[in-house]
């Protein structure tokens, strides 16, 4: 996103993988004929590892949550019909299950995001409920967004050290310019990640590779703003970490200028990594965004194209078969519940 990360070109790539290796990998990715074709990982293996701690609600916030729960019939009354434009992009056989979506955990995320203010929380929830009713993000059809995934520019694959789904972003693989469909692919990917979160996990991690970053392959400021609006309004408290690999010098300088004005909660989620540099020495009260890659990822489960040891290489045919199969399986429980 140009408004966030698209400032200038990337500095020289670290040695592993080196520039020639990445160029070869990207060429194979675009062609979709990489060998071997490793399938994506959508399901998190159960382990005894730690999960990201979810901040408990205060007594006052818990009261707001209980008050909201008592008003669910009012919140879900008189919902708008599905938007005529949205009908072009969704599977209308997939039912809308707002009551199933309005779990205690969901309401708690809105309470935290709106600082425990009852009126703000209720308005935000109603806005998201109306948005989901009108646009049906959970029912977006894979064929609609398939073009956005052909080069492997952004996709969900695997999990970080805290069992959070990882969304890889390779901006130099950008292949489309239609902003609305780019946003649909982001929404589809978020819904996919949420469906595959293990119990106790509520957030995603972004792994952003800035190799070969430049203005020519960045999305517009308008698209980036729309994405951020959707994320903050309809997926609050869903971003766990945004890890920027090998950030361009110009971006780092810009970030240092604007970071004092960024909300501390949001700022704490942004991290920079140079995978082959020694772990940065930080004092206990350091506000530096630089971290060691191992703080967030196990190298063996981090893609090689993103400086890890996992030999996964994006193959569109294999990935998209997994997407289609997952969508068919995901909608079946909703259909069964309706019947």
């Amino acid at each position: 996103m140009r408004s966030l990360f698209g400032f200038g070109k990337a500095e020289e790539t670290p040695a592993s993988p080196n520039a020639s290796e990445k160029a070869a990998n990207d060429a194979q990715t675009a062609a979709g004929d990489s060998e071997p074709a490793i399938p994506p990982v959508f399901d998190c293996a159960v382990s005894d590892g730690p999960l990201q701690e979810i901040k408990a609600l205060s007594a006052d916030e818990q009261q707001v949550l209980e008050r909201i729960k008592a008003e669910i019939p009012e919140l879900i009354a008189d919902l708008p019909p599905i938007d005529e434009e949205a009908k072009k992009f969704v599977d209308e056989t997939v039912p809308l299950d707002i009551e199933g979506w309005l779990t205690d955990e969901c309401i708690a995320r809105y309470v935290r995001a709106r600082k425990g203010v009852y009126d703000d929380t209720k308005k935000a929830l109603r806005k998201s409920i109306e948005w989901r009713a009108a646009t049906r993000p959970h029912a977006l059809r894979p064929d609609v967004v398939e073009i956005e995934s052909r080069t492997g520019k952004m996709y969900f694959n695997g999990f970080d050290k805290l069992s959070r789904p990882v969304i890889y972003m390779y901006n130099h693989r950008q292949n489309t310019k239609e902003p609305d469909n780019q946003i649909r692919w982001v929404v589809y990917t978020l819904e996919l990640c949420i469906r595959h979160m293990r119990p106790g996990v509520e957030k995603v991690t972004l792994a952003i590779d800035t190799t070969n970053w430049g203005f020519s392959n960045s999305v517009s400021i308008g698209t980036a703003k729309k994405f951020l609006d959707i994320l903050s309004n309809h997926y609050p408290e869903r971003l766990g970490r945004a890890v920027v690999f090998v950030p361009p010098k110009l971006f780092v300088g810009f970030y240092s200028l604007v970071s004092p004005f960024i909300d501390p909660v949001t700022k704490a989620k942004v991290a920079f990594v140079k995978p082959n540099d020694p772990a940065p020495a930080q004092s206990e009260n350091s506000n530096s965004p630089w971290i060691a890659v191992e703080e967030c990822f196990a190298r063996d489960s981090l893609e090689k194209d993103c400086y890890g040891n996992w030999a996964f290489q994006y193959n569109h045919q294999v990935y998209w078969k997994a997407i289609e199969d997952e969508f068919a399986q995901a909608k079946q429980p909703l259909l069964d519940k309706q019947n």
Side-chain angles (χ1 to χ4, degrees):
M1 296 172 290
R2 186 180 302 173
S3 63
L4 293 180
F5 305 114
F7 297 91
K9 296 182 180 294
E11 59 189 299
E12 187 174 340
T13 309
S16 177
N18 63 38
S20 61
E21 286 175 333
K22 286 185 69 65
N25 289 346
D26 290 338
Q28 286 184 314
T29 295
D33 60 355
S34 57
E35 294 291 344
I38 301 174
V41 174
F42 291 164
D43 295 313
C44 185
V46 177
S47 70
D48 296 327
L51 301 179
Q52 181 173 15
E53 183 177 353
I54 299 172
K55 183 181 178 182
L57 298 181
S58 67
D60 289 343
E61 289 172 333
Q62 186 64 38
Q63 287 182 352
V64 170
L65 183 145
E66 297 299 332
R67 188 176 174 187
I68 293 288
K69 285 175 62 178
E71 296 173 350
I72 284 179
E74 175 190 342
L75 272 173
I76 65 177
D78 302 319
L79 294 180
I82 183 171
D83 185 82
E84 288 299 318
E85 183 70 10
K87 288 181 179 180
K88 302 175 184 178
F89 312 117
V90 304
D91 182 343
E92 292 188 70
T93 69
V94 180
L96 180 68
D97 183 20
I98 290 297
E99 290 186 74
W101 176 77
L102 271 172
T103 62
D104 284 8
E105 292 80 8
C106 173
I107 298 171
R109 286 191 294 273
Y110 280 79
V111 171
R112 286 192 293 267
R114 297 301 181 265
K115 314 299 184 186
V117 178
Y118 165 76
D119 288 337
D120 292 350
T121 302
K122 186 176 179 179
K123 288 177 183 177
L125 270 169
R126 175 65 187 189
K127 184 177 180 180
S128 286
I129 290 168
E130 291 179 349
W131 177 76
R132 295 189 73 86
T135 65
R136 309 295 172 95
H138 67 295
L140 277 168
R141 301 196 318 272
D143 65 284
V144 169
V145 292
E146 184 268 339
I147 189 173
E148 301 296 335
S149 182
R150 288 180 187 173
T151 59
K153 66 186 177 190
M154 187 201 76
Y155 54 91
F156 159 44
N157 186 29
F159 300 82
D160 70 5
K161 290 180 98 171
L162 297 179
S163 297
R164 297 174 296 201
V166 177
I167 299 175
Y168 288 92
M169 304 176 77
Y170 297 100
N171 199 69
H172 58 286
R173 298 177 184 173
Q174 181 61 263
N175 66 317
T176 64
K177 295 185 180 297
E178 208 285 296
D180 288 342
N181 212 48
Q182 290 175 343
I183 293 296
R184 289 186 200 101
W185 178 226
V186 172
V187 169
Y188 189 102
T189 302
L190 285 170
E191 292 285 330
L192 174 64
C193 288
I194 291 166
R195 287 198 292 269
H196 290 271
M197 288 176 178
R198 57 177 289 193
V201 175
E202 297 189 359
K203 301 177 186 290
V204 301
T205 289
L206 307 182
I208 305 164
D209 173 33
T210 55
T211 303
N212 300 321
W213 200 281
F215 287 109
S216 63
N217 51 32
S218 296
V219 301
S220 69
I221 293 175
T223 302
K225 184 179 183 300
K226 189 172 182 179
F227 161 67
L228 292 174
D229 286 345
I230 288 175
L231 188 67
S232 61
N233 290 325
H234 304 307
Y235 297 92
E237 298 288 304
R238 286 297 195 183
L239 178 61
R241 208 73 191 263
V243 182
V244 184
F245 288 81
V246 199
K249 290 180 179 178
L250 188 56
F251 170 71
V252 175
F254 173 81
Y255 182 83
S256 68
L257 292 175
V258 302
S259 60
F261 307 101
I262 299 175
D263 175 74
V265 175
T266 301
K267 184 165 63 174
K269 297 177 180 179
V270 178
F272 300 158
V273 168
K274 286 187 178 179
N276 293 320
D277 282 4
Q282 298 186 10
S283 65
E284 185 175 340
N285 297 318
S286 172
N287 292 318
S288 171
W290 293 95
I291 66 170
V293 67
E294 288 81 7
E295 183 175 323
C296 195
F297 303 97
R299 293 263 186 175
D300 288 344
S301 59
L302 181 66
E303 292 184 4
K304 186 176 180 181
D305 279 357
C306 211
Y307 312 101
N309 298 331
W310 185 17
F312 179 92
Q313 192 171 89
Y314 185 83
N315 179 298
H316 182 62
Q317 183 178 3
V318 173
Y319 191 88
W320 209 250
K321 176 64 165 57
I323 286 286
E324 291 174 332
D325 290 347
E326 192 279 340
F327 182 75
Q329 294 169 7
K331 72 179 184 179
Q332 193 58 49
L334 292 173
L335 294 172
D336 293 343
K337 184 176 182 180
Q338 183 183 50
N339 296 328

Short mmCIF file of all heavy atoms in Angstrom, two decimals, residues 73-81 126 129-130 133:
data_model
loop_
_atom_site.label_atom_id
_atom_site.label_comp_id
_atom_site.label_asym_id
_atom_site.label_seq_id
_atom_site.Cartn_x
_atom_site.Cartn_y
_atom_site.Cartn_z
N PRO A 73 -31.45 -8.70 19.82
CA PRO A 73 -32.64 -8.66 18.94
C PRO A 73 -32.84 -7.31 18.27
O PRO A 73 -33.22 -7.23 17.10
CB PRO A 73 -33.79 -9.00 19.90
CG PRO A 73 -33.15 -9.83 20.97
CD PRO A 73 -31.79 -9.22 21.17
N GLU A 74 -32.57 -6.23 19.01
CA GLU A 74 -32.69 -4.88 18.43
C GLU A 74 -31.59 -4.64 17.40
O GLU A 74 -31.83 -4.06 16.34
CB GLU A 74 -32.60 -3.85 19.55
CG GLU A 74 -32.59 -2.41 19.05
CD GLU A 74 -32.25 -1.40 20.16
OE1 GLU A 74 -32.37 -1.78 21.34
OE2 GLU A 74 -31.84 -0.28 19.83
N LEU A 75 -30.37 -5.11 17.72
CA LEU A 75 -29.23 -4.89 16.82
C LEU A 75 -29.42 -5.54 15.46
O LEU A 75 -28.95 -5.01 14.44
CB LEU A 75 -27.94 -5.42 17.46
CG LEU A 75 -27.16 -4.48 18.36
CD1 LEU A 75 -26.01 -5.24 19.02
CD2 LEU A 75 -26.61 -3.30 17.57
N ILE A 76 -30.08 -6.70 15.44
CA ILE A 76 -30.17 -7.45 14.19
C ILE A 76 -31.53 -7.29 13.51
O ILE A 76 -31.83 -7.97 12.52
CB ILE A 76 -29.87 -8.94 14.41
CG1 ILE A 76 -30.92 -9.59 15.31
CG2 ILE A 76 -28.48 -9.12 15.01
CD1 ILE A 76 -30.71 -11.09 15.50
N ALA A 77 -32.35 -6.36 14.02
CA ALA A 77 -33.68 -6.15 13.43
C ALA A 77 -33.58 -5.28 12.18
O ALA A 77 -32.69 -4.42 12.06
CB ALA A 77 -34.60 -5.50 14.46
N ASP A 78 -34.50 -5.50 11.25
CA ASP A 78 -34.64 -4.64 10.06
C ASP A 78 -33.33 -4.51 9.29
O ASP A 78 -32.89 -3.40 8.97
CB ASP A 78 -35.16 -3.26 10.46
CG ASP A 78 -36.49 -3.32 11.17
OD1 ASP A 78 -37.35 -4.11 10.74
OD2 ASP A 78 -36.66 -2.59 12.17
N LEU A 79 -32.69 -5.62 9.00
CA LEU A 79 -31.43 -5.59 8.26
C LEU A 79 -31.68 -5.29 6.78
O LEU A 79 -32.72 -5.70 6.22
CB LEU A 79 -30.70 -6.92 8.39
CG LEU A 79 -30.20 -7.27 9.79
CD1 LEU A 79 -29.49 -8.61 9.77
CD2 LEU A 79 -29.28 -6.19 10.32
N PRO A 80 -30.75 -4.61 6.15
CA PRO A 80 -30.92 -4.33 4.72
C PRO A 80 -30.78 -5.61 3.90
O PRO A 80 -30.10 -6.55 4.31
CB PRO A 80 -29.76 -3.36 4.43
CG PRO A 80 -28.73 -3.69 5.44
CD PRO A 80 -29.49 -4.07 6.68
N PRO A 81 -31.45 -5.66 2.74
CA PRO A 81 -31.27 -6.82 1.87
C PRO A 81 -29.88 -6.80 1.24
O PRO A 81 -29.16 -5.79 1.30
CB PRO A 81 -32.35 -6.62 0.81
CG PRO A 81 -32.53 -5.14 0.74
CD PRO A 81 -32.34 -4.64 2.15
N ARG A 126 -23.67 -2.25 14.89
CA ARG A 126 -24.78 -2.14 13.95
C ARG A 126 -24.26 -1.83 12.54
O ARG A 126 -24.76 -2.39 11.55
CB ARG A 126 -25.76 -1.06 14.41
CG ARG A 126 -26.90 -0.80 13.43
CD ARG A 126 -27.82 -2.00 13.27
NE ARG A 126 -28.81 -1.75 12.20
CZ ARG A 126 -29.84 -2.54 11.94
NH1 ARG A 126 -30.06 -3.61 12.67
NH2 ARG A 126 -30.68 -2.26 10.96
N ILE A 129 -22.90 -5.05 11.16
CA ILE A 129 -23.99 -5.98 10.88
C ILE A 129 -24.67 -5.61 9.57
O ILE A 129 -24.95 -6.48 8.72
CB ILE A 129 -24.99 -6.00 12.05
CG1 ILE A 129 -24.35 -6.66 13.28
CG2 ILE A 129 -26.27 -6.71 11.66
CD1 ILE A 129 -25.15 -6.48 14.57
N GLU A 130 -24.93 -4.33 9.38
CA GLU A 130 -25.56 -3.87 8.13
C GLU A 130 -24.64 -4.13 6.94
O GLU A 130 -25.09 -4.53 5.86
CB GLU A 130 -25.91 -2.39 8.24
CG GLU A 130 -27.04 -2.10 9.21
CD GLU A 130 -27.36 -0.62 9.31
OE1 GLU A 130 -26.56 0.20 8.79
OE2 GLU A 130 -28.40 -0.27 9.91
N ALA A 133 -24.71 -7.81 6.13
CA ALA A 133 -25.98 -8.17 5.51
C ALA A 133 -26.03 -7.73 4.04
O ALA A 133 -26.54 -8.45 3.18
CB ALA A 133 -27.14 -7.55 6.28
#
